[in-house]
Amino acid sequence: MDITITAEIKNIPLKFCTHPSLFSPSAIDAGTLAMLSKADFRADDKVLDLGCGYGIVGILAAKLISGRNVVMCDSSGTAVEYAKINARLNQVPEIDIRPSNGFENIPEKDFSLILSNPPYHTDFSVAKHFIETGFFRLAPGGRMLMVAKRLPWYKNKFTSLFGGVMVYEINGYYVFLAEKRQARPPQKVKEPNKLSKKLQRKYAKKSSCPKG
């Protein structure tokens, strides 16, 4: 049975159709709201909503800038289906919404903003893939914004790759904001391959497993 929820984020009224099998189907996830409170969407941004679920982040971005500048992806076919429904429901049907295990179907390397609420109920392997590959998918000067429940690992990973990170503690969540200040990463870091089948299974759990 479908669920309908409404919200107002950054003064934008939004409406979403969700499903019980998806993450946080009855209300906007508090971690997502924490991340969005630190999101600065600029008119010329090219945005990637990585692990979009039913579409909150990418649809908000599209309402603020333009759906033509937004790509959304998720490993769950159900999530992709509902994200497309919600893009039409919120009158931004032009968003590019793709099924993708991590960055598997995201070849572009010119994003200026990548946002993600990764599945942190598992170990750090999926988040590691998102951060490391995300670095290569950002244009120089591009930003990555991520929310998690844990601090040390994420802070160290962002710092080692990006050279620094801003950390905000909001309602029990940590929001990380890093900027790609250089065209190339440290020599020891190579662009990872696509998610392994093992990581694909972990990432797919995001749609049905609670985070924490």
Side-chain angles (χ1 to χ4, degrees):
M1 178 181 295
D2 286 347
I3 302 166
T4 300
I5 60 177
T6 59
E8 183 173 308
I9 308 174
K10 295 187 181 293
N11 298 315
I12 302 294
L14 300 166
K15 185 176 182 179
F16 299 99
C17 180
T18 79
H19 187 273
S21 67
L22 297 173
F23 172 68
S24 194
S26 301
I28 307 298
D29 169 57
T32 297
L33 290 175
M35 178 175 67
L36 287 172
S37 73
K38 295 299 179 181
D40 177 22
F41 296 102
R42 303 168 185 171
D44 59 348
D45 271 335
K46 181 173 180 179
V47 175
L48 173 62
D49 179 3
L50 178 61
C52 65
Y54 52 84
I56 298 161
V57 173
I59 288 171
L60 174 65
K63 297 291 284 186
L64 290 168
I65 53 173
S66 167
R68 295 180 179 85
N69 292 348
V70 177
V71 177
M72 297 163 56
C73 70
D74 203 286
S75 66
S76 163
T78 302
V80 170
E81 175 188 354
Y82 276 82
K84 291 180 178 180
I85 291 170
N86 289 321
R88 295 192 295 270
L89 187 62
N90 289 278
Q91 301 181 332
V92 283
E94 66 274 19
I95 298 174
D96 183 349
I97 304 174
R98 312 174 192 174
S100 183
N101 290 307
F103 285 93
E104 183 177 14
N105 294 327
I106 311 294
E108 297 94 329
K109 296 186 178 182
D110 60 345
F111 291 104
S112 59
L113 179 60
I114 297 175
L115 304 99
S116 185
N117 183 354
Y120 41 80
H121 57 275
T122 64
D123 60 28
F124 298 110
S125 53
V126 173
K128 180 176 183 290
H129 168 76
F130 282 12
I131 296 168
E132 290 182 349
T133 310
F135 181 94
F136 290 89
R137 296 299 192 269
L138 286 170
R143 297 150 287 145
M144 177 173 277
L145 195 60
M146 184 173 284
V147 63
K149 275 279 193 177
R150 304 174 186 178
L151 176 61
W153 185 91
Y154 285 87
K155 183 177 180 181
N156 291 338
K157 172 55 69 174
F158 272 109
T159 300
S160 66
L161 192 57
F162 285 81
V165 63
M166 296 290 295
V167 182
Y168 306 92
E169 186 174 1
I170 304 172
N171 297 327
Y173 291 87
Y174 295 101
V175 177
F176 303 89
L177 174 59
E179 180 179 343
K180 184 175 181 179
R181 301 173 183 173
Q182 53 186 4
R184 297 180 180 178
Q187 291 185 356
K188 66 179 181 180
V189 179
K190 297 181 179 180
E191 181 173 2
N193 295 322
K194 65 183 180 181
L195 280 173
S196 67
K197 291 183 178 179
K198 180 179 179 182
L199 294 190
Q200 289 177 22
R201 290 193 294 270
K202 290 181 179 180
Y203 177 34
K205 291 179 181 179
K206 176 183 176 182
S207 297
S208 57
C209 297
K211 297 179 181 179

